[in-house]
């Protein structure tokens, strides 16, 4: 169990990867909506909260199984701080969609999805090889 009483099973990585894949699907859909409305007067670009905000609700702490393990405070291990980015430009029609910024976000989603898939494949191979032994 973690600190919130939630049961963390041995295959927690699969659940986490699935949650991130759903998040990436939602973010890609939001980016596509922004691009589709790039010329719509008054349209405001949207984005979803960073995935680490999802993880904030379900912290998993590292186990200290030996007195020689390093003890770090939560402040020292917090890597979740991100700066909120505003749109790069607002045109005279009130539209705040920057196609360059949306393409960068789309590239980030693609990279994150590729990394997610690679981790799941590696973990799956590891589970299969341990089951064969």
């Amino acid at each position: 169990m973690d600190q919130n009483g939630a049961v963390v099973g041995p295959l927690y990585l699969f659940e986490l990867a699935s949650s991130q894949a759903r998040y990436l699907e939602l973010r890609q859909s939001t980016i596509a909506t922004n691009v589709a409305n790039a010329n719509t007067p008054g349209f405001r670009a949207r984005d979803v909260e960073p995935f680490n905000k999802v993880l904030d609700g379900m912290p998993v702490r590292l186990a200290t199984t030996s007195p020689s393990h390093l003890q770090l405070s939560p402040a020292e291990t917090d890597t979740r701080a991100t700066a909120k980015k505003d749109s790069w430009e607002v045109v005279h029609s009130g539209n705040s969609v920057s196609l360059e910024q949306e393409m960068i976000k789309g590239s980030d989603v693609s990279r994150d999805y590729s990394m997610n898939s690679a981790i799941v494949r590696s973990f799956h191979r590891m589970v299969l090889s341990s089951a064969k032994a």
Side-chain angles (χ1 to χ4, degrees), residues 21-77:
R22 285 190 301 272
Y23 162 81
L24 292 171
E25 177 185 358
L26 175 63
R27 186 155 193 234
Q28 185 65 36
S29 175
T30 304
I31 292 167
T33 300
N34 289 345
V35 171
N37 288 289
N39 291 326
T40 303
F43 183 82
R44 294 285 190 204
R46 297 181 182 106
D47 202 356
V48 295
E49 291 291 324
F51 186 66
N52 57 8
K53 298 274 185 182
V54 175
L55 296 179
D56 286 348
M58 44 185 199
V60 176
R61 303 281 183 230
L62 297 175
T64 305
T65 57
S66 169
S68 61
H69 285 171
L70 294 175
Q71 296 293 324
L72 299 175
S73 70
E76 293 172 308
T77 60

Side-chain angles (χ1 to χ4, degrees), residues 99-120:
L99 291 178
E100 295 87 1
Q101 190 175 19
E102 297 305 316
M103 294 301 107
I104 290 170
K105 289 179 193 176
S107 177
D108 290 345
V109 169
S110 177
R111 184 193 64 238
D112 290 347
Y113 185 78
S114 294
M115 183 176 63
N116 181 313
S117 298
I119 290 170
V120 168

Side-chain angles (χ1 to χ4, degrees), residues 72-91:
L72 299 175
S73 70
E76 293 172 308
T77 60
D78 189 9
T79 59
R80 298 169 290 180
T82 58
K84 182 174 171 75
K85 296 178 184 171
D86 293 326
S87 182
W88 290 350
E89 59 188 33
V90 177
V91 295

